mmCIF file of all heavy atoms in Angstrom:
data_model
loop_
_atom_site.group_PDB
_atom_site.id
_atom_site.type_symbol
_atom_site.label_atom_id
_atom_site.label_comp_id
_atom_site.label_asym_id
_atom_site.label_seq_id
_atom_site.Cartn_x
_atom_site.Cartn_y
_atom_site.Cartn_z
ATOM 1 N N ALA A 48 155.992 -159.026 -32.692
ATOM 2 C CA ALA A 48 156.974 -159.316 -31.645
ATOM 3 C C ALA A 48 158.364 -159.216 -32.250
ATOM 4 O O ALA A 48 158.565 -159.548 -33.426
ATOM 5 C CB ALA A 48 156.744 -160.713 -31.075
ATOM 6 N N LEU A 49 159.306 -158.718 -31.437
ATOM 7 C CA LEU A 49 160.706 -158.688 -31.867
ATOM 8 C C LEU A 49 161.445 -159.821 -31.170
ATOM 9 O O LEU A 49 161.233 -160.078 -29.977
ATOM 10 C CB LEU A 49 161.365 -157.357 -31.510
ATOM 11 C CG LEU A 49 160.856 -156.103 -32.207
ATOM 12 C CD1 LEU A 49 161.655 -154.875 -31.740
ATOM 13 C CD2 LEU A 49 160.970 -156.225 -33.722
ATOM 14 N N TYR A 50 162.312 -160.491 -31.915
ATOM 15 C CA TYR A 50 163.152 -161.551 -31.354
ATOM 16 C C TYR A 50 164.591 -161.212 -31.726
ATOM 17 O O TYR A 50 164.897 -161.092 -32.910
ATOM 18 C CB TYR A 50 162.790 -162.904 -31.948
ATOM 19 C CG TYR A 50 161.364 -163.322 -31.709
ATOM 20 C CD1 TYR A 50 160.365 -163.002 -32.619
ATOM 21 C CD2 TYR A 50 161.019 -164.045 -30.562
ATOM 22 C CE1 TYR A 50 159.055 -163.384 -32.401
ATOM 23 C CE2 TYR A 50 159.705 -164.428 -30.336
ATOM 24 C CZ TYR A 50 158.729 -164.094 -31.261
ATOM 25 O OH TYR A 50 157.428 -164.475 -31.043
ATOM 26 N N ALA A 51 165.440 -161.063 -30.714
ATOM 27 C CA ALA A 51 166.806 -160.636 -31.014
ATOM 28 C C ALA A 51 167.819 -161.406 -30.173
ATOM 29 O O ALA A 51 167.695 -161.461 -28.951
ATOM 30 C CB ALA A 51 166.964 -159.140 -30.761
ATOM 31 N N ARG A 52 168.803 -161.991 -30.832
ATOM 32 C CA ARG A 52 169.903 -162.633 -30.103
ATOM 33 C C ARG A 52 170.804 -161.559 -29.521
ATOM 34 O O ARG A 52 171.365 -161.714 -28.462
ATOM 35 C CB ARG A 52 170.695 -163.526 -31.066
ATOM 36 C CG ARG A 52 171.390 -164.678 -30.386
ATOM 37 C CD ARG A 52 172.209 -165.470 -31.378
ATOM 38 N NE ARG A 52 173.618 -165.144 -31.244
ATOM 39 C CZ ARG A 52 174.538 -165.470 -32.128
ATOM 40 N NH1 ARG A 52 174.212 -166.116 -33.230
ATOM 41 N NH2 ARG A 52 175.789 -165.142 -31.919
ATOM 42 N N GLU A 53 170.948 -160.454 -30.275
ATOM 43 C CA GLU A 53 171.617 -159.263 -29.757
ATOM 44 C C GLU A 53 170.730 -158.083 -30.105
ATOM 45 O O GLU A 53 170.093 -158.081 -31.157
ATOM 46 C CB GLU A 53 173.008 -159.101 -30.373
ATOM 47 C CG GLU A 53 173.998 -160.043 -29.729
ATOM 48 C CD GLU A 53 175.394 -159.914 -30.308
ATOM 49 O OE1 GLU A 53 175.692 -158.871 -30.927
ATOM 50 O OE2 GLU A 53 176.165 -160.867 -30.140
ATOM 51 N N PRO A 54 170.695 -157.065 -29.220
ATOM 52 C CA PRO A 54 169.683 -156.013 -29.385
ATOM 53 C C PRO A 54 169.671 -155.337 -30.763
ATOM 54 O O PRO A 54 168.604 -154.972 -31.252
ATOM 55 C CB PRO A 54 170.052 -154.994 -28.294
ATOM 56 C CG PRO A 54 170.820 -155.774 -27.287
ATOM 57 C CD PRO A 54 171.515 -156.878 -28.030
ATOM 58 N N HIS A 55 170.832 -155.202 -31.402
ATOM 59 C CA HIS A 55 170.834 -154.479 -32.679
ATOM 60 C C HIS A 55 170.558 -155.394 -33.879
ATOM 61 O O HIS A 55 170.563 -154.945 -35.013
ATOM 62 C CB HIS A 55 172.156 -153.733 -32.872
ATOM 63 C CG HIS A 55 173.345 -154.635 -32.945
ATOM 64 N ND1 HIS A 55 173.797 -155.365 -31.863
ATOM 65 C CD2 HIS A 55 174.178 -154.933 -33.977
ATOM 66 C CE1 HIS A 55 174.857 -156.065 -32.220
ATOM 67 N NE2 HIS A 55 175.097 -155.832 -33.486
ATOM 68 N N ARG A 56 170.291 -156.693 -33.607
ATOM 69 C CA ARG A 56 170.058 -157.634 -34.714
ATOM 70 C C ARG A 56 168.646 -158.235 -34.648
ATOM 71 O O ARG A 56 168.459 -159.440 -34.808
ATOM 72 C CB ARG A 56 171.079 -158.798 -34.684
ATOM 73 C CG ARG A 56 172.532 -158.433 -34.520
ATOM 74 C CD ARG A 56 173.132 -157.681 -35.688
ATOM 75 N NE ARG A 56 172.920 -158.228 -37.003
ATOM 76 C CZ ARG A 56 173.797 -159.016 -37.646
ATOM 77 N NH1 ARG A 56 174.915 -159.381 -37.070
ATOM 78 N NH2 ARG A 56 173.542 -159.431 -38.865
ATOM 79 N N ALA A 57 167.637 -157.397 -34.458
ATOM 80 C CA ALA A 57 166.293 -157.923 -34.198
ATOM 81 C C ALA A 57 165.619 -158.484 -35.453
ATOM 82 O O ALA A 57 165.802 -157.990 -36.562
ATOM 83 C CB ALA A 57 165.415 -156.841 -33.591
ATOM 84 N N ASN A 58 164.811 -159.515 -35.206
ATOM 85 C CA ASN A 58 163.896 -160.070 -36.201
ATOM 86 C C ASN A 58 162.482 -159.659 -35.794
ATOM 87 O O ASN A 58 162.139 -159.722 -34.611
ATOM 88 C CB ASN A 58 163.954 -161.597 -36.187
ATOM 89 C CG ASN A 58 165.354 -162.132 -36.470
ATOM 90 O OD1 ASN A 58 165.749 -162.247 -37.614
ATOM 91 N ND2 ASN A 58 166.106 -162.450 -35.417
ATOM 92 N N LEU A 59 161.688 -159.272 -36.770
ATOM 93 C CA LEU A 59 160.290 -158.939 -36.494
ATOM 94 C C LEU A 59 159.386 -160.052 -37.003
ATOM 95 O O LEU A 59 159.576 -160.536 -38.121
ATOM 96 C CB LEU A 59 159.918 -157.638 -37.216
ATOM 97 C CG LEU A 59 158.417 -157.293 -37.217
ATOM 98 C CD1 LEU A 59 157.962 -156.871 -35.827
ATOM 99 C CD2 LEU A 59 158.108 -156.216 -38.246
ATOM 100 N N VAL A 60 158.429 -160.454 -36.170
ATOM 101 C CA VAL A 60 157.384 -161.374 -36.635
ATOM 102 C C VAL A 60 156.031 -160.737 -36.345
ATOM 103 O O VAL A 60 155.791 -160.266 -35.224
ATOM 104 C CB VAL A 60 157.475 -162.759 -35.957
ATOM 105 C CG1 VAL A 60 156.348 -163.666 -36.469
ATOM 106 C CG2 VAL A 60 158.827 -163.406 -36.223
ATOM 107 N N ALA A 61 155.173 -160.672 -37.352
ATOM 108 C CA ALA A 61 153.811 -160.153 -37.171
ATOM 109 C C ALA A 61 152.840 -161.266 -37.540
ATOM 110 O O ALA A 61 153.172 -162.163 -38.320
ATOM 111 C CB ALA A 61 153.578 -158.939 -38.053
ATOM 112 N N ARG A 62 151.633 -161.193 -36.978
ATOM 113 C CA ARG A 62 150.690 -162.298 -37.158
ATOM 114 C C ARG A 62 149.282 -161.777 -37.375
ATOM 115 O O ARG A 62 148.812 -160.904 -36.647
ATOM 116 C CB ARG A 62 150.724 -163.176 -35.908
ATOM 117 C CG ARG A 62 150.051 -164.529 -36.055
ATOM 118 C CD ARG A 62 150.552 -165.466 -34.967
ATOM 119 N NE ARG A 62 150.016 -165.089 -33.666
ATOM 120 C CZ ARG A 62 148.911 -165.610 -33.141
ATOM 121 N NH1 ARG A 62 148.235 -166.540 -33.792
ATOM 122 N NH2 ARG A 62 148.488 -165.214 -31.969
ATOM 123 N N LEU A 63 148.656 -162.319 -38.408
ATOM 124 C CA LEU A 63 147.220 -162.120 -38.586
ATOM 125 C C LEU A 63 146.593 -163.444 -38.176
ATOM 126 O O LEU A 63 146.736 -164.449 -38.873
ATOM 127 C CB LEU A 63 146.922 -161.800 -40.058
ATOM 128 C CG LEU A 63 145.494 -161.414 -40.413
ATOM 129 C CD1 LEU A 63 145.060 -160.140 -39.702
ATOM 130 C CD2 LEU A 63 145.358 -161.229 -41.929
ATOM 131 N N PRO A 64 145.939 -163.483 -37.013
ATOM 132 C CA PRO A 64 145.526 -164.777 -36.464
ATOM 133 C C PRO A 64 144.454 -165.455 -37.303
ATOM 134 O O PRO A 64 143.557 -164.803 -37.836
ATOM 135 C CB PRO A 64 145.002 -164.434 -35.064
ATOM 136 C CG PRO A 64 144.881 -162.962 -34.994
ATOM 137 C CD PRO A 64 145.570 -162.348 -36.163
#
Side-chain angles (χ1 to χ4, degrees):
L49 294 181
Y50 300 91
R52 207 183 103 194
E53 282 180 20
H55 63 292
R56 312 293 311 264
N58 301 277
L59 170 71
V60 179
R62 193 161 72 94
L63 186 62

